[in-house]
Amino acid sequence: MLICEHCAVSYTTETPRWRCDCGGTLRLEFSARFDLAVLRERTPSMLPGLWRYAEALPVPVADAISLGEGLTPLLPLAGPWGNAHFKLDFMMPTGSFKDRGSALMISQLKRWGVTEIIEDSSGNAGASIAAYCARAGIKAHVFVPAQTSAGKAMQIALYGARLAKIAGTREDTSAAALDAAQNIFYASHNRSPYFIHGVKTLAFELWEQLGFRAPDAVIVPAGNGSLVLGCHIGFSELRNADMIARLPRIIAVQAARCAPLARAWQQWMNDPVPVNKGDTIAEGIATAVPIRGRAVLAAVRETNGLFVTVEEHEILERLKAVALAGLYIEPTSAVALAALTKLRAQGELGADDTVVVELTGSGLKATDKLVKVF
Ligand SMILES: *Cc1c(COP(=O)(O)O)cnc(C)c1O
Ligand SMILES: [Zn+2]
């Protein structure tokens, strides 16, 4: 069942739909199951990548459109930031964590018989969706802001999607896509509940890789907030199934120059606040109007987490620090590490806390931007 988060009307999952008739976003009613004995026996050759959590996914494995996504390494790494576990989600088929969501979303679109879609993105989601559409034989039109990194735009075009570069802000890109979606199915990853049910596999993997335990805290970048919502749903499903006792704190990080959620948090507001968006190198989270902002704020609050903002120079310093440890990540990913450094210095996170830093995107994607600042 698909249920409107605004007016609570429900719809069948049998027919394609991307929003409620009232315009509201939809959530998916679904009950996840976990079987520890089965999981312990299940090898990647039996069910590869994130599909190993088949009993907890809303799409049957038989219908999976897969490029080998999921089960990325969890690397313990000490540095100026103290001890932390780094989740290497930049090692995904298209170079970002978005593949978790795309795999589930495009598999469901294929089941629905959708043959052509429109998507808008700051770059990584567009590249990811273009790849999975290529795999599924779905025609894709991808709208990106004109200033998107060259690597991401090239990927989208080579995967065979029709690429439209839109002048102006990220919000102008969304408006152009929505306009074009009059006649073609709008596969917005920021609206699809299937996308979030793909991203939630991040929580399952962390739990399994930590020896079937939840970490104390997970630090994620937040633009529209799919990582916040994915972690919240994933860990909640584990708790409801008695696999963990309590939810880890979700720590959501925004660039100070575009922080509608973090500003709302500081002002005790339940909805994102309007911001005058500045230019940030963290292009993957330069979202002024997060569509599910209210749910994202509520999710962080429920886990006793918090929002953190980081400055441009902190982002670049941490990107360089982690490169010196051997990891090449894009600026949007570096915000999570910048937040960890800050929170450790403030004593908000203890030295013995098990902390996961989600590294979302590959540095190779942003090389054209990095050569301008280093
Ligand atoms: C999309 C993206 C994010 C943020 O995801 P949201 O769902 O918008 O919060 C973070 N890092 C990278 C590399 C991304 O591509
Ligand atoms: Zn509605």
Side-chain angles (χ1 to χ4, degrees), residues 232-256:
H232 183 257
I233 291 179
F235 284 115
S236 296
E237 287 178 344
L238 287 167
R239 186 193 51 186
N240 296 345
D242 285 330
M243 296 289 141
I244 58 174
R246 59 184 174 86
L247 305 180
R249 301 176 75 188
I250 299 177
I251 297 172
V253 193
Q254 298 210 286

Side-chain angles (χ1 to χ4, degrees), residues 96-98 124 190 221-227 284-285 330 332-333 360-361:
S96 85
F97 84 95
K98 296 282 191 330
N124 284 334
N190 291 319
N224 270 292
S226 73
L227 289 156
I285 51 171
E330 70 170 282
T332 309
S333 296
T360 49

